Amino acid sequence: MFLLVSKVFALMLAAIVFAKCYVDFRSGTESLKVFLFWTVTWGMIVVIALFPSIIDYILSLAGGRGVGLGTFFGMAIVFLFFIVYRIYVQLEQLEQKLTRTIQELALRDDWRSKHSEPRV
Amino acid sequence: MREPPTVVIVMPAFNEAAVIGTVLSKIPAKIESFNTISIVVDDGSIDLTDEIARKAGAHVIRHMANLGVGAATITGLRAAKQLDAEIIGTMDADGQHDPAELERLVQCLIDGPFDVVIGSRLRSRNGMPLTRFAANLLLNLVTFVVYGKIVSDSQSGFKVFSKQALAAIDLNSSGYEICSEIIGEIYRKNLRYKSVPIRAVYTRYSRAKGQHFLNGINLILGLFIRLMRRT
């Protein structure tokens, strides 16, 4: 029962993410590269959710005995942390750009127009 | 030809319409022999902060969105540089700092001579709530861990800088971390500094406007992220 609920949940999430990615791609807010990346990533998640035995097969290819499900999830968590880190860095850079833009605009519009000898 | 102003007071402000007029009116028109100019950086307020500050005679620079006290301070300091100010002061717009004490800080900077004078609320704790006192001590410790410099009040927004000091320091923080970053720059650029006791005015308004617990957590996280980036 739990496995069935997990499968339905994964499918629903994948459908939502795919729909959002597709709408963003069609409206031009996301590039083809990003659209393909998330489509493939979520496609893999759906396949694994529907056929969990694939993990056993992958683990056997990766070294057979001794590599447990824990190792697989450990690697998945590391990968997720990497994505979170990338998002954090990009968000930080975006925030800095936004800050600099607003500061420049404020100094240009409110300040330099009133002070005759601007020095940057 | 524009006469170069000599003492510029930078005041970052966010929704301070209730008090900013009073605070600005208390800033002395002259400090020592220097003319005083106030720059209010309205950090995306949604009240009448900018209008009231203009009416009170301040130069107002307005951020179109709220960026944080650090970003607003940096904008104000850049404007002060453009005015070729001899001495630059920063103070809070919520009335926590007494503008009458500016004269003492400026006098100390000149007499030292020092590059930076920091108004310290912790050297005489009068009126400061105990929780805030403890939080400030903790932030002094975090500032020491991150920047390697211990000062009596690392989070004070009441400071004066010489023109040379302002030219030397390089600031990037958007939020409350800017106070600690300034301490780091004092240490890194080997600037001469002095902490001078000041009286912090704690009204119900300034307590509500001051740093909250979550801001403190954000501040500590922000400082540790800076530490990780440097290592």
Side-chain angles (χ1 to χ4, degrees):
Chain A
M1 183 65 185
F2 178 72
L3 200 63
L4 182 70
V5 171
S6 304
K7 284 179 182 181
V8 171
F9 186 64
L11 277 172
M12 275 172 58
L13 275 183
I16 290 167
V17 171
F18 178 76
K20 174 81 174 69
C21 277
Y22 183 68
V23 168
D24 286 349
F25 171 63
R26 284 295 299 268
S27 65
T29 49
E30 285 292 2
S31 66
L32 178 65
K33 199 172 76 176
V34 173
F35 170 66
L36 287 177
F37 171 76
W38 286 115
T39 305
V40 171
T41 305
W42 277 91
M44 282 162 61
I45 291 169
V46 167
V47 169
I48 291 170
L50 292 179
F51 309 104
S53 57
I54 287 176
I55 295 171
D56 296 333
Y57 177 69
I58 294 170
L59 292 178
S60 68
L61 287 180
R65 287 176 209 158
V67 184
L69 207 58
T71 311
F72 180 79
F73 280 114
M75 284 163 63
I77 287 172
V78 168
F79 178 69
L80 287 177
F81 266 108
F82 171 74
I83 290 180
V84 169
Y85 171 74
R86 288 293 307 154
I87 291 171
Y88 169 77
V89 168
Q90 282 175 0
L91 202 65
E92 183 88 353
Q93 285 171 351
L94 199 67
E95 198 176 300
Q96 280 176 13
K97 280 180 194 166
L98 186 70
T99 297
R100 276 198 290 270
T101 306
I102 291 176
Q103 285 176 322
E104 282 299 326
L105 283 172
L107 284 167
R108 193 182 67 190
D109 297 345
D110 290 349
W111 190 251
R112 285 180 196 148
S113 56
K114 293 174 198 132
H115 297 274
S116 55
E117 296 163 7
R119 265 175 285 160
V120 181
Chain B
M1 185 152 161
R2 184 164 50 87
E3 188 188 333
T6 47
V7 177
V8 170
I9 307 303
V10 172
M11 211 181 279
F14 177 61
N15 291 341
E16 302 285 11
V19 292
I20 197 154
T22 315
V23 175
L24 285 166
S25 69
K26 287 180 184 167
I27 292 179
K30 267 185 175 285
I31 296 176
E32 296 294 305
S33 57
F34 305 128
N35 290 328
T36 310
I37 284 188
S38 305
I39 297 176
V40 170
V41 183
D42 178 4
D43 193 24
S45 300
I46 52 168
D47 61 5
L48 297 174
T49 298
D50 60 335
E51 220 170 278
I52 293 169
R54 266 191 203 101
K55 277 183 190 160
H59 296 256
V60 178
I61 304 171
R62 186 169 158 75
H63 285 169
M64 60 176 71
N66 181 242
L67 299 178
V69 68
T73 304
I74 291 170
T75 303
L77 293 177
R78 283 180 61 186
K81 270 189 200 173
Q82 288 172 15
L83 288 179
D84 208 18
E86 284 301 317
I87 294 168
I88 304 92
T90 60
M91 61 185 291
D92 291 359
D94 62 2
Q96 191 196 115
H97 302 139
D98 181 3
E101 292 195 295
L102 269 168
E103 199 153 353
R104 203 156 52 82
L105 267 65
V106 169
Q107 187 66 60
C108 178
L109 188 90
I110 296 168
D111 290 347
F114 296 105
D115 296 309
V116 185
V117 172
I118 303 168
S120 170
R121 300 159 298 172
L122 305 184
R123 289 189 63 175
S124 57
R125 203 204 110 198
N126 47 357
M128 181 182 279
L130 188 64
T131 48
R132 193 161 286 197
F133 182 72
N136 277 305
L137 288 181
L138 175 67
L139 289 168
N140 281 354
L141 185 68
V142 175
T143 303
F144 172 69
V145 170
V146 176
Y147 291 108
K149 183 87 182 162
I150 193 92
V151 293
S152 69
D153 187 2
S154 63
Q155 302 309 304
S156 171
F158 201 5
K159 301 183 183 82
V160 290
F161 303 86
S162 69
K163 187 179 174 177
Q164 294 74 17
L166 192 60
I169 62 174
D170 183 25
L171 303 170
N172 296 299
S173 300
S174 290
Y176 283 105
E177 318 89 87
I178 192 152
C179 290
S180 297
E181 195 184 15
I182 289 172
I183 305 302
E185 284 294 285
I186 290 172
Y187 178 56
R188 208 171 301 140
K189 305 287 161 62
N190 207 17
L191 300 174
R192 298 163 297 176
Y193 83 98
K194 186 171 174 68
S195 290
V196 171
I198 54 160
R199 189 176 68 91
V201 183
Y202 288 103
T203 59
R204 188 175 291 179
Y205 179 84
S206 72
R207 280 184 202 204
K209 290 290 291 190
Q211 287 194 37
H212 298 284
F213 177 71
L214 283 176
N215 285 342
I217 301 287
N218 275 339
L219 200 163
I220 292 171
L221 280 176
L223 287 173
F224 277 116
I225 286 168
R226 283 176 171 275
L227 178 67
M228 277 165 21
R229 276 194 186 145
R230 289 214 316 268
T231 49

